[in-house]
Amino acid sequence: MRVIAKRTLKKIWECSAYSDAQAPLESWYEETMKANWLSPQAVKFQYSNASICGNNRVVFNIGGNKYRLVVEIQYRARIVWVKFIGTHAQYDKINVENVNEY
């Protein structure tokens, strides 16, 4: 899969408040780049704790469930767009299906 964009992930972990997110986000990124997800079921097979949502959105638990990562996946094009990264408290304030902020 192609992840758009690693710089978004990097911007988060470079912030001192989220520096503990670097290792888990880098791991997620590397695993996702190697993945070949053709359907939401394929994502769930690899990440059983991922939440499949509407509008092609998937929510991943990052860093021992400390952070939430929301992506939009276009399976045929093999593209994963990062739409949101934040704490659970921040995640609780968004609408997963239309969030588009980092």
Side-chain angles (χ1 to χ4, degrees), residues 37-94:
W37 298 326
L38 299 176
S39 67
Q41 293 77 16
V43 175
K44 285 292 280 185
F45 183 77
Q46 185 170 354
Y47 290 97
S48 60
N49 290 331
S51 298
I52 308 300
C53 304
N55 204 21
N56 292 322
R57 302 294 174 102
V58 179
V59 180
F60 294 94
N61 297 321
I62 301 292
N65 212 16
K66 184 174 181 180
Y67 300 102
R68 293 288 177 104
L69 170 63
V70 178
V71 301
E72 179 180 329
I73 302 177
Q74 294 298 321
Y75 297 96
R76 283 186 170 169
R78 298 181 30 91
I79 297 174
V80 178
W81 280 280
V82 174
K83 297 296 184 178
F84 171 86
I85 307 168
T87 64
H88 272 273
Q90 294 165 327
Y91 171 81
D92 288 341
K93 296 176 183 177
I94 66 164

